[in-house]
Amino acid sequence: MNIVVNRAKFENVNEVSALFNSYRVFYSQKSNLDLAKEFISERINNSESVIFYAIDNTGTYLGFTQLYPNFSSVSAKRSWVLNDLYVSESARRLGVGKKLMEAAKFFAESTNAKGIALQTAEDNVNAQTLYESLGYKKGSGFFSYFLSLQQA
C-alpha cells in the first residue's frame, strides 16, 4: 500500500472531519459530525492549527495529526503541540501513524521549532511505543495542571 501524507486545506475538510469525529469517539465522546466539521473548518480557516492527513493510492483517508503552535518565553522559540493523532482501525499497523509523525517532525523542523510536545493516555501503550520508537522521551520533573472552566 502506498501511503501519502499531505497538509490539509479547506477542500479536505469533509474527509478530515470524518477522521476527527472517529478520533473523538475513540476518546469516549458522542459522534457528532457537524461539530467535527465546524471545529476542523475553524482551525483551517483561521490558521489556528496545522493538520496533516494520510491517504492511500485509492484516495481513502487513513488518518490525521493536528499540531498547535506554542511559544516558550524562556527559550524565545516556537514549539508545536501534537494534540491529535488518529489512524482508522482498518489502517492500523501499516505505518500510517509513523508517516504522520514524520510529517509533523519535518514540518516542525522547517519552522525552526524547538521541538514537539505531546500527551497520551497512560493506557495507550501502542501510541507510547510509536512515540518512543521515534525518539520522543517521556517527561519528568513537572506536574500537569488544568483549570476546568466548564461544568461536566
Side-chain angles (χ1 to χ4, degrees), residues 122-140:
E122 291 178 3
D123 64 350
N124 194 344
V125 177
N126 289 337
Q128 292 171 35
T129 301
L130 172 63
Y131 303 146
E132 291 173 14
S133 76
L134 295 172
Y136 286 76
K137 304 292 182 208
K138 197 176 288 187
S140 64

Side-chain angles (χ1 to χ4, degrees), residues 20 23 39-40 42-44 47-51 64-71 78-84 107 115-117:
F20 182 70
Y23 168 78
F39 187 84
I40 294 299
E42 287 177 0
R43 301 296 75 76
I44 291 174
S47 299
E48 294 173 335
S49 71
V50 174
I51 302 170
F64 81 99
T65 190
Q66 184 164 208
L67 300 156
Y68 292 95
N70 194 16
F71 299 91
R78 172 196 313 260
S79 62
W80 292 94
V81 177
L82 193 148
N83 206 61
D84 312 315
F107 174 77
I116 301 172

Side-chain angles (χ1 to χ4, degrees), residues 8-15 37 40-42 44-45:
K9 299 176 186 166
F10 191 75
E11 54 262 27
N12 310 112
V13 164
N14 288 336
E15 294 84 356
K37 186 174 180 180
I40 294 299
S41 294
E42 287 177 0
I44 291 174
N45 284 336

Side-chain angles (χ1 to χ4, degrees), residues 40-124:
I40 294 299
S41 294
E42 287 177 0
R43 301 296 75 76
I44 291 174
N45 284 336
N46 298 329
S47 299
E48 294 173 335
S49 71
V50 174
I51 302 170
F52 293 98
Y53 65 90
I55 58 172
D56 66 14
N57 50 341
T58 68
T60 301
Y61 282 64
L62 306 171
F64 81 99
T65 190
Q66 184 164 208
L67 300 156
Y68 292 95
N70 194 16
F71 299 91
S72 169
S73 299
V74 174
S75 67
K77 290 196 73 124
R78 172 196 313 260
S79 62
W80 292 94
V81 177
L82 193 148
N83 206 61
D84 312 315
L85 175 67
Y86 178 77
V87 176
S88 63
E89 287 187 43
S90 63
R92 292 185 185 155
R93 301 271 181 213
L94 300 176
V96 175
K98 182 177 181 181
K99 284 194 177 268
L100 288 164
M101 296 292 293
E102 288 171 347
K105 179 182 177 187
F106 179 77
F107 174 77
E109 289 172 337
S110 75
T111 63
N112 197 31
K114 178 180 177 180
I116 301 172
L118 60 81
Q119 293 181 328
T120 192
E122 291 178 3
D123 64 350
N124 194 344

